[in-house]
Amino acid sequence: AGYLNQFLDIAVTVGEKVISEQHFFAAGAGFGKVGRTYGMPGDAYAVSDGERIYFVDKEGTVSMCVPDMEDETGDILWTDGMYAYTTAMFGVDENMLEDYTISNLSEIIYLDNRLWTVLKLDMKYTEERILACFSMEEGWTLASKLPAGFKTAEGISIAPYQGELYLLGGLDNTTGNLQSLVMRMDPLTMKWQNGTALPEGRAFAQAVATGDK
């Protein structure tokens, strides 16, 4: 399960001979060779919508490929380097900042034909946190301000479940406590509602749906 929707470089050594190939694990049956890729960001999130695979690097640049589509040499066809995170998503003019960083506070998920993640803008003297979404038409945009319980949290878990987006847990920077808070949002209305709290506080964890849970 840990390799679902991920590439894995496999090397087999026989004596002095080393055979290396890259495989993509899609579901149940196991690994299958999908060809070679070039220029793919090495330090990136990989997210799949079931057909395409999206790679998002630290700057928010999105690359995309379809594993079943190859060129005449057997290499995967993919688009390279669309959009990136910007301070405008936070309502801040980049020209007014001397120094800043934008970083992910959660994993990146796919829901409702968009990518979603929690972002932090660190302006050195203050911070802003938002829920951002990505579409092929608009790039990265502000989806929603975070609910109050997540505005000072790090290590937030994010997951899609039954058509809604869930935020879970996190480490509260103001108190140092692990949170059990759960909030859910309908991507059609962008309205937040309370979810059932976690049995105990969690942070820097991955949340996944299995069956009806």
Side-chain angles (χ1 to χ4, degrees):
Y3 295 116
L4 185 63
N5 291 332
Q6 294 189 38
F7 280 101
L8 185 66
D9 293 315
I10 298 177
V12 177
T13 303
V14 180
E16 296 183 355
K17 185 177 181 180
V18 179
I19 302 173
S20 299
E21 291 186 348
Q22 186 176 74
H23 293 254
F24 179 76
F25 185 66
F31 289 93
K33 183 178 179 181
V34 295
R36 299 179 298 274
T37 60
Y38 295 95
M40 184 178 67
D43 188 5
Y45 293 95
V47 185
S48 175
D49 62 8
E51 178 182 356
R52 294 169 291 270
I53 305 172
Y54 303 88
F55 299 93
V56 186
D57 67 16
K58 291 181 178 180
E59 285 72 43
T61 302
V62 180
S63 303
M64 181 191 71
C65 74
V66 180
D68 292 335
M69 296 180 62
E70 299 179 354
D71 62 20
E72 63 278 3
T73 66
D75 296 334
I76 295 174
L77 294 173
W78 65 306
T79 58
D80 187 13
M82 296 181 293
Y83 308 105
Y85 303 140
T86 66
T87 61
M89 301 162 58
F90 299 82
V92 177
D93 185 351
E94 181 180 13
N95 296 321
M96 301 298 292
L97 300 176
E98 292 186 5
D99 189 17
Y100 71 90
T101 57
I102 299 177
S103 57
N104 294 83
L105 293 183
S106 74
E107 298 287 326
I108 297 176
I109 63 168
Y110 182 86
L111 173 67
D112 192 39
N113 297 316
R114 286 171 284 181
L115 302 178
W116 303 79
T117 190
V118 179
L119 295 177
K120 177 177 74 173
L121 171 62
D122 183 355
M123 295 172 279
K124 308 311 175 185
Y125 57 89
T126 189
E127 297 177 350
E128 294 286 342
R129 291 168 167 80
I130 63 169
L131 176 69
C133 65
F134 172 90
S135 69
M136 300 295 290
E137 297 76 23
E138 299 182 0
W140 288 105
T141 58
L142 167 67
S144 171
K145 296 290 187 179
L146 292 186
F150 293 103
K151 288 184 176 180
T152 59
E154 305 277 343
I156 300 169
S157 298
I158 185 172
Y161 179 63
Q162 296 185 346
E164 293 185 316
L165 181 147
Y166 280 71
L167 295 182
L168 310 92
L171 177 66
D172 190 332
N173 279 340
T174 59
T175 65
N177 295 329
L178 295 174
Q179 300 188 146
S180 59
L181 176 66
V182 175
M183 298 290 292
R184 58 189 177 92
M185 186 195 73
D186 185 334
L188 299 179
T189 63
M190 296 293 187
K191 293 183 178 179
W192 292 97
Q193 298 183 47
N194 288 317
T196 303
L198 299 172
E200 59 183 10
R202 294 284 179 131
F204 302 99
Q206 285 189 316
V208 296
T210 174
D212 61 352
K213 299 180 180 179

